[in-house]
Amino acid sequence: MNSKKSGQIGARFIVYLTGLLVMSLGIVLLIIADLGATPWDVLHVGLYYQLGLTIGTWSVIVGIVILTVASLISKEFPKMGAFLNMVLIGVFIDLYLLLPFMQTPSSLSGKILMFLFGIIIYCYGMGIYISAQFGAGPRDSLMIALTAKTGWKVGRVRSCMEVIVLIIGWQLGGPVFWGTVIIGLAIGPLAGKALPQCQLVTDRFLASMKKQVYTTIGKEKDRGVS
């Protein structure tokens, strides 16, 4: 029984880690394209401009603050998935930014292409990591806590969070441009397409992994009987 459970946890973690890697790549592409980033990354880049450190480090620091606030509101200790999300995304962002070929394209067409790829990769990365059902990230944890506390709809809470963060990041000098508006309009519909597709693929992957575990256990039992 334990081997089955650990097998599924291991498989889910592979999916979860893959999703965070993909989503982090999308975040970096959007930042490097220099046409506007997501509201939270506008904040992270703004803090980096004003106070130094790295963008990934600020992603982690902001995540710690958000998790603390979410815990105080919900009166619950954050789940392990939230900590992993917070730390790994920050690390992955900095690692991607260290790659020598991660440079802003010189032409506008190149920037637009990188920006479009960034949005798509970001949404599918989000879909992959969420499909693993390994726990919500800090920002999602805060959204859930505020929704429960205020009784507002999720969309209203998330919109308020994004607007407040965007204003703060803009005041700090973060990269707000027409791309930021496009991100705000496009992520919802794209994520709506990506999430069920990623969930379907993940469910099939987990089912195949579970089947392999059952097959292995069956063979071991047969050997024991023989």
Side-chain angles (χ1 to χ4, degrees), residues 16-54:
Y16 182 78
L17 190 63
T18 300
L20 294 183
L21 275 166
V22 173
M23 189 170 72
S24 300
L25 176 59
I27 290 171
V28 171
L29 290 177
L30 289 171
I31 292 172
I32 293 177
D34 200 27
L35 296 176
T38 68
W40 288 100
D41 293 310
V42 169
L43 175 62
H44 301 151
V45 175
L47 288 166
Y48 161 68
Y49 285 159
Q50 298 298 323
L51 301 172
L53 300 180
T54 66

Side-chain angles (χ1 to χ4, degrees), residues 12-226:
R12 287 185 185 277
F13 183 72
I14 291 171
V15 175
Y16 182 78
L17 190 63
T18 300
L20 294 183
L21 275 166
V22 173
M23 189 170 72
S24 300
L25 176 59
I27 290 171
V28 171
L29 290 177
L30 289 171
I31 292 172
I32 293 177
D34 200 27
L35 296 176
T38 68
W40 288 100
D41 293 310
V42 169
L43 175 62
H44 301 151
V45 175
L47 288 166
Y48 161 68
Y49 285 159
Q50 298 298 323
L51 301 172
L53 300 180
T54 66
I55 296 172
T57 300
W58 281 115
S59 177
V60 174
I61 293 172
V62 171
I64 292 171
V65 173
I66 292 170
L67 273 183
T68 302
V69 173
S71 298
L72 292 173
I73 293 173
S74 63
K75 297 179 181 178
E76 293 180 1
F77 193 75
K79 294 180 180 179
M80 183 57 66
F83 284 106
L84 285 173
N85 179 293
M86 173 185 70
V87 174
L88 291 176
I89 286 181
V91 171
F92 293 156
I93 287 173
D94 281 346
L95 288 176
Y96 280 127
L97 287 171
L98 286 174
L99 296 174
F101 54 83
M102 282 291 185
Q103 301 291 332
T104 302
S106 56
S107 65
L108 179 59
S109 59
K111 290 180 180 180
I112 292 174
L113 192 61
M114 178 178 278
F115 178 82
L116 293 176
F117 272 117
I119 292 179
I120 295 170
I121 291 171
Y122 175 83
C123 289
Y124 274 92
M126 185 193 308
I128 295 168
Y129 109 75
I130 290 175
S131 70
Q133 298 175 11
F134 220 80
R139 291 142 191 85
D140 293 329
S141 298
L142 179 59
M143 178 186 68
I144 293 167
L146 287 173
T147 300
K149 185 73 174 180
T150 62
W152 293 358
K153 291 182 178 180
V154 171
R156 185 180 179 186
V157 171
R158 189 67 185 221
S159 295
C160 289
M161 286 171 56
E162 301 284 317
V163 170
I164 292 170
V165 167
L166 179 60
I167 291 172
I168 296 172
W170 177 50
Q171 292 298 313
L172 291 170
V176 178
F177 200 40
W178 55 261
T180 308
V181 178
I182 292 177
I183 290 169
L185 295 173
I187 279 183
L190 282 174
K193 294 283 187 181
L195 286 173
Q197 293 174 10
C198 293
Q199 191 65 62
L200 181 63
V201 173
T202 296
D203 289 343
R204 288 177 177 174
F205 170 71
L206 293 175
S208 68
M209 293 295 290
K210 192 172 184 179
K211 186 177 179 180
Q212 288 180 21
V213 171
Y214 280 135
T215 303
T216 302
I217 292 174
K219 288 180 179 178
E220 289 176 352
K221 284 183 178 180
D222 290 340
R223 288 191 193 119
V225 170
S226 60

